[in-house]
């Protein structure tokens, strides 16, 4: 989790311009993305390094945490 | 835009479990993702079909719209 927070924030709002916000992201999407990075199907310098250290349980926990953040949106007029 | 909304909503909140929320997503990330789908670097059945019809200008416009949606988050205690 602490590794995720460096770029994606504890609140799931990206701290770097190239990183996506993941607050309240769909749990299934997060799991799928992390597995895709782990399998090399999706490529990203940072993510490829970070996911190497994640077990299936870690992936499930990270996805559960970030998806549990409630988001509300305000569409521009 | 209308094609995007089917899955991602006009408000950027996904209408299908497999689709990610993209409300307030970082503009650079959205552009990068769309180009990656267009180039075949990222693969997804729906996205691969949809991006075929998008010009560079369309991609810029879609990314600008969804990134302009304001999001606020509530981290669980």
């Amino acid at each position: 989790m602490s590794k995720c927070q460096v770029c994606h924030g504890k609140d799931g709002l990206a701290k770097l311009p190239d990183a996506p916000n993941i607050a309240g992201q769909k749990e299934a999407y997060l799991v799928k993305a992390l597995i895709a990075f782990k399998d090399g199907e999706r490529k990203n310098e940072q993510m490829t390094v970070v996911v190497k250290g994640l077990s299936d349980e870690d992936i499930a926990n990270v996805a559960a945490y970030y998806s549990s953040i409630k988001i509300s949106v305000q569409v521009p007029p």
Side-chain angles (χ1 to χ4, degrees), chain A residues 3-71:
Chain A
K3 285 180 189 167
C4 310
Q5 294 178 18
V6 176
C7 299
H8 298 287
K10 189 178 179 181
D11 59 4
L13 298 176
K15 306 309 169 197
L16 300 172
D18 286 349
N21 300 323
I22 55 174
Q25 188 53 277
K26 298 272 180 174
E27 191 167 3
Y29 178 81
L30 291 175
V31 168
K32 194 178 162 190
L34 288 167
I35 290 172
F37 284 120
K38 199 168 183 181
D39 290 349
E41 191 194 314
R42 276 185 73 176
K43 293 178 204 306
N44 174 274
E45 202 173 339
Q46 283 77 33
M47 287 302 298
T48 302
V49 173
V50 171
V51 293
K52 274 187 189 161
L54 299 182
S55 66
D56 289 352
E57 195 184 345
D58 293 333
I59 287 175
N61 287 339
V62 165
Y65 171 72
Y66 279 110
S67 66
S68 76
I69 298 173
K70 293 212 182 342
I71 56 171

